[in-house]
Amino acid sequence: MSEIANSYPKVLVVASGRINASDTANGGLLLRNLFAMWPKGNLAQIYSSGDNGDEGFFGDYYRLGSRDRRFGWLYFLIKGGARNLDELRTTVVAGEKKRSFKTRLKAALIARLGESGLYELLFRPVLSRQLHAWIDNFKPDIIFAHGYTLTATWIPLQISASVDRPICFYTTDDWPEYLYADARSRNSVIQRMVRRAVRNSSGELVRRARVCIAFNRFMQEEYRQRYGKDFTVLMHGDSFLRFAGQRSESQGAKTEHLIVSTGIFNENRMPLLTDLDEACAILMSRGVSARAVVYPVNLRSDYPTFRHVSFEACPAHNDLAAILRGADILFLPERFDDTAHDIRLSVSSKAHLFMFSGRPTIVYSDPRTGIARYGTEDKWAAVVDKRDPQLLADSIERLIKDAVYCEGLLEASERTARKNHDLSSIQSTFLDLVQKAVHGPRI
């Protein structure tokens, strides 16, 4: 092995979704950036779904099969041809249009299994002889645990106990708090049982981790109190150089102001585009011409039709910089519904890209969310923390007309990006943490 390869420990990543060579998944982008300098031969992953068929970003992969779960034969019999229970539930519900009793019953059972998390308890993972052999062949120095499911939490603990290797725990969302905490099942026997398993396994994972990484300072503060351990903050990262060569002039005519947004538009965010459309109409009534183009990561044909908001296919990550730089204003919606509390420790995966773009940003979100708190406290965005198209229109108009205000936001954006989102600094810190965990004294 070369001297360069020796300086990079061998990392075994346990994450439910496969880290492909290229895809639009936020987790994939995060880990591809984090491990960008690592030799591929020093990276391997255990996963259960999300394989897009490409060569993959890591050097080796192990996909969990029936032998890697308790009653695995039954688990995969239920799944049939689906890659995971979410896909199966979608397929079955789509088939419900036939309205057969059998189809509707199966849809209800699959939905219940998936939403409650009961299937994770029933089909708990085990280290099969084949998985043991694969791990022994790779010879990891450290296990990288992402969490998000009970399976992806238990497996790192099982491997660490089996091969005596340290764990690195890094999460971008507070899944230990919300996983399987479905309000519709609150206080049910199943939910209490599954939630107890989530709390116990996530707590054990943190307790046994030698490296603990939080995605932002809000998570760092909360987790320090919750788990009694120190967490290092590492956020999404990028480089100003990647944005510097992109055009910065507006894509629209000088008499029209272009608003651009991108990300995953689900049931939490999609309704907020109705507010953006109404805000543009309000601006038009004031003599200010504005339109919005949204680039959803999950573009579908059944999106609603708006007067002033249109949809385009989301470009590849490397092409997105030009789109953002070509906007007059960037729009970052989150949510105002009852689930806002669930993401109080989260920050949008697009926030840093908006900062690097050098264009003014509006965050439209409940004040409890991590992104609203981040924008308000660090002043890198105009934050509208009440759901009101009129207030949104006022904020857009101020960004259009108040050059001094805009300049202050852009200065704070650049300052925040350099402090928290410089990719080379993040990669260097991460490598140092992993090296110390592997080569340092046991704790």
Side-chain angles (χ1 to χ4, degrees):
M1 186 179 290
S2 69
E3 184 176 341
I4 294 178
N6 276 325
S7 66
Y8 288 88
K10 300 186 74 174
V11 182
L12 173 54
V13 176
V14 180
S16 297
R18 181 178 187 263
I19 306 304
N20 300 304
S22 178
D23 59 29
T24 58
N26 293 330
L29 175 61
L30 176 69
L31 296 193
R32 284 193 294 270
N33 278 342
L34 201 61
F35 291 107
M37 306 305 293
W38 242 264
K40 286 190 68 169
N42 286 19
L43 297 170
Q45 183 189 0
I46 296 171
Y47 73 102
S48 59
S49 63
D51 189 344
N52 68 1
D54 70 19
E55 71 277 16
F57 180 77
F58 298 148
D60 201 3
Y61 291 90
Y62 183 96
R63 185 169 188 168
L64 296 174
S66 59
R67 58 182 173 258
D68 303 304
R69 289 185 182 276
R70 186 174 57 184
F71 309 120
W73 62 271
L74 179 58
Y75 175 80
F76 282 87
L77 179 64
I78 294 173
K79 285 190 5 171
R83 291 172 295 181
N84 54 52
L85 283 177
D86 285 337
E87 180 181 306
L88 177 60
R89 184 164 61 248
T90 300
T91 303
V92 171
V93 171
E96 192 175 355
K97 294 176 181 177
K98 299 178 181 178
R99 295 194 173 278
S100 72
F101 175 76
K102 181 179 179 181
T103 298
R104 284 184 280 116
L105 178 61
K106 187 174 181 181
L109 290 174
I110 293 299
R112 185 61 180 156
L113 274 175
E115 290 166 3
S116 69
L118 180 60
Y119 78 97
E120 293 223 63
L121 297 186
L122 294 175
F123 307 112
R124 187 168 178 145
V126 296
L127 300 186
S128 66
R129 184 172 65 255
Q130 292 84 351
L131 180 51
H132 262 298
W134 182 84
I135 294 170
D136 290 342
N137 182 66
F138 178 63
K139 296 180 174 59
D141 296 310
I142 192 168
I143 302 152
F144 181 98
H146 215 34
Y148 291 95
T149 67
L150 280 169
T151 297
T153 303
W154 282 323
I155 289 178
L157 291 169
Q158 292 170 339
I159 296 174
S160 177
S162 175
V163 299
D164 191 25
R165 293 294 183 272
I167 293 173
C168 169
F169 173 66
Y170 183 20
T171 181
T172 59
D173 286 305
D174 190 23
W175 59 267
E177 184 71 12
Y178 66 70
L179 183 62
Y180 303 128
D182 187 351
R184 290 171 296 178
S185 305
R186 190 162 294 155
N187 296 323
S188 71
V189 174
I190 292 176
Q191 190 193 46
R192 289 199 300 270
M193 183 169 55
V194 175
R195 283 295 302 157
R196 186 183 305 113
V198 171
R199 287 191 296 270
N200 291 343
S201 61
S202 60
E204 180 69 4
L205 186 62
V206 173
R207 187 185 69 79
R208 286 171 53 178
R210 198 175 301 174
V211 179
C212 292
I213 303 174
F215 194 57
N216 53 66
R217 65 174 179 268
F218 310 124
M219 182 180 288
Q220 180 189 47
E221 293 164 1
E222 171 77 16
Y223 278 18
R224 182 183 292 132
Q225 293 182 9
R226 185 188 302 176
Y227 298 113
K229 291 188 73 170
D230 286 329
F231 280 73
T232 300
V233 173
L234 292 180
M235 304 184 75
H236 266 302
D238 214 302
S239 167
F240 279 105
L241 290 177
R242 195 169 75 84
F243 286 78
Q246 305 296 337
R247 56 197 173 98
S248 60
E249 72 274 8
S250 173
Q251 293 175 349
K254 291 186 181 297
T255 56
E256 183 179 55
H257 303 279
L258 178 65
I259 303 166
V260 167
S261 187
T262 185
I264 295 176
F265 285 84
N266 53 19
E267 66 276 8
N268 304 116
R269 291 174 177 168
M270 185 60 73
L272 305 187
L273 295 182
T274 302
D275 296 358
L276 178 60
D277 189 58
E278 187 174 340
C280 288
I282 292 171
L283 291 170
M284 295 286 282
S285 71
R286 298 175 183 174
V288 179
S289 181
R291 68 182 178 94
V293 180
V294 179
Y295 298 86
V297 171
N298 55 329
L299 181 62
R300 301 197 312 267
S301 59
D302 61 345
Y303 279 172
T305 300
F306 297 105
R307 292 170 297 170
H308 307 288
V309 178
S310 60
F311 297 96
E312 298 287 345
C314 188
H317 177 69
N318 290 336
D319 299 323
L320 184 59
I323 298 293
L324 299 181
R325 290 278 287 169
D328 293 307
I329 294 171
L330 298 174
F331 180 62
L332 207 170
E334 194 46 84
R335 62 185 70 177
F336 286 93
D337 55 39
D338 292 339
T339 66
H341 176 80
D342 294 344
I343 56 170
R344 72 194 187 285
L345 307 183
S346 305
V347 169
S348 168
S349 62
K350 303 301 180 186
H352 68 297
L353 300 179
F354 285 20
M355 296 179 198
F356 281 104
S357 72
R359 316 308 295 161
T361 297
I362 292 178
V363 169
Y364 190 51
S365 179
D366 187 291
R368 293 173 293 174
T369 65
I371 189 63
R373 296 165 66 192
Y374 193 27
T376 300
E377 294 181 15
D378 291 63
K379 298 180 174 58
W380 57 268
V383 179
V384 180
D385 60 8
K386 181 179 180 181
R387 187 174 180 187
D388 185 338
Q390 184 77 44
L391 293 177
L392 182 57
D394 292 344
S395 184
I396 295 171
E397 186 171 16
R398 185 179 183 187
L399 290 180
I400 291 172
K401 296 182 177 180
D402 193 336
V404 174
Y405 175 60
C406 269
E407 188 61 32
L409 290 179
L410 294 180
E411 288 177 358
S413 277
E414 180 174 348
R415 183 169 60 249
T416 304
R418 293 190 184 281
K419 176 184 176 183
N420 298 334
H421 302 282
D422 178 67
L423 183 56
S424 62
S425 176
I426 291 168
Q427 291 170 337
S428 177
T429 300
F430 179 66
L431 175 59
D432 185 58
L433 288 170
V434 172
Q435 287 176 330
K436 287 180 178 177
V438 171
H439 302 296
R442 296 294 179 92
I443 55 174

